[in-house]
Amino acid sequence: MQRNIKATTAKEQMLKKIRHALLQKREHPYPNFEETALHVDTAEPADVLFAQRLTAVAGHFIYCEDEVSFIEGLLGLAEQEKLRRMYAWEPGVRQLLDNYEFPYFQTDKDFSEAEAGITGCEALIARSGSVLVSNGSAAGRRLSIYPHIHIVVAYASQLVMDIKDGLDLIRHRYGNDMPSSISLVTGPSRTADIEKTLVLGAHGPKSLYVFLLEDRLG
């Protein structure tokens, strides 16, 4: 009985404090809230920060000086993972692969056997190491979700610091014809629902590779 009395007293004291706080009127408790920075400034360049944050969530970052470096890196990845069925549907990605005669599947025939999907992206978010994607491209959503390996081709001009900057890129690209689905990919898919054990690739790709290229000149 004594325990219940103490518990009730503690609860009443807490409620009393809340009532007292609500009765105190403050016109502007945080007058400089809108001017306050959401994140602490970092001295790291955006590309270094993105690489660090992506790696921290089990993603893989590959910097490429040019397209030749990208193709060499892609060949190395295909050999490392023993990939034979790599799919690419976006015209820009396909053109890049065609320029160097890199083999890939460009239709959805036998897509159930796809081992890797090669896609572009809307932006790279340095602050969280995330890839901003949408269904506005020819790759849609399937190519970044179904295959076990998701390979992203991105350019330096798509690298931004925060999500709001990435959304600005999307608005600039699509105008009033905004994609119906915009998503953030932060590392491989994961879950810890089964016996609290972290499992990668439970409901999506088990590996995420981001190739960052310098923008084409001209």
Side-chain angles (χ1 to χ4, degrees), residues 94-129:
R94 288 166 52 183
Q95 183 63 55
L96 173 57
L97 300 177
D98 288 341
N99 287 343
Y100 298 91
E101 299 182 352
F102 186 90
Y104 66 95
F105 290 82
Q106 57 181 300
T107 70
D108 60 357
K109 182 180 180 181
D110 298 324
F111 185 64
S112 61
E113 301 176 14
E115 298 170 335
I118 308 174
T119 76
C121 67
E122 301 293 352
L124 300 180
I125 312 300
R127 190 82 68 181
S128 60

Side-chain angles (χ1 to χ4, degrees), residues 37-190:
L38 181 61
H39 300 282
V40 178
D41 290 336
T42 175
E44 296 285 7
D47 53 353
V48 174
L49 182 61
F50 176 81
Q52 292 174 342
R53 298 294 168 83
L54 175 66
T55 303
V57 292
H60 304 274
F61 176 83
I62 303 96
Y63 170 76
C64 306
E65 293 184 353
D66 50 33
E67 294 179 350
V68 174
S69 298
F70 164 66
I71 295 298
E72 290 175 346
L74 198 56
L75 286 169
L77 176 59
E79 182 178 356
Q80 171 189 316
E81 299 289 345
K82 296 180 173 54
L83 301 176
R84 296 294 179 268
R85 301 191 70 87
M86 305 172 72
Y87 284 70
W89 293 339
E90 297 170 59
V93 175
R94 288 166 52 183
Q95 183 63 55
L96 173 57
L97 300 177
D98 288 341
N99 287 343
Y100 298 91
E101 299 182 352
F102 186 90
Y104 66 95
F105 290 82
Q106 57 181 300
T107 70
D108 60 357
K109 182 180 180 181
D110 298 324
F111 185 64
S112 61
E113 301 176 14
E115 298 170 335
I118 308 174
T119 76
C121 67
E122 301 293 352
L124 300 180
I125 312 300
R127 190 82 68 181
S128 60
S130 303
V131 181
L132 189 62
V133 298
S134 80
N135 65 343
S137 69
R141 297 182 67 240
R142 285 190 299 160
L143 204 53
S144 63
I145 294 177
Y146 183 79
H148 291 310
I149 296 177
H150 182 197
I151 300 169
V152 177
V153 185
Y155 291 89
S157 60
Q158 295 177 293
L159 182 59
V160 297
M161 189 59 71
D162 295 302
I163 295 176
K164 63 180 180 61
D165 304 314
L167 293 177
D168 286 341
L169 287 182
I170 292 181
R171 293 189 189 97
H172 179 74
R173 178 180 180 182
Y174 294 99
N176 294 326
D177 190 22
M178 291 287 286
S180 60
S181 174
I182 299 174
S183 306
L184 277 175
V185 178
T186 306
S189 66
R190 63 192 65 209

Side-chain angles (χ1 to χ4, degrees), residues 192-212:
D193 292 341
I194 305 173
E195 297 182 355
K196 305 301 180 183
T197 301
L198 181 63
V199 177
L200 298 181
H203 47 76
K206 64 180 179 64
S207 298
L208 172 65
Y209 291 85
V210 177
F211 288 82
L212 181 64

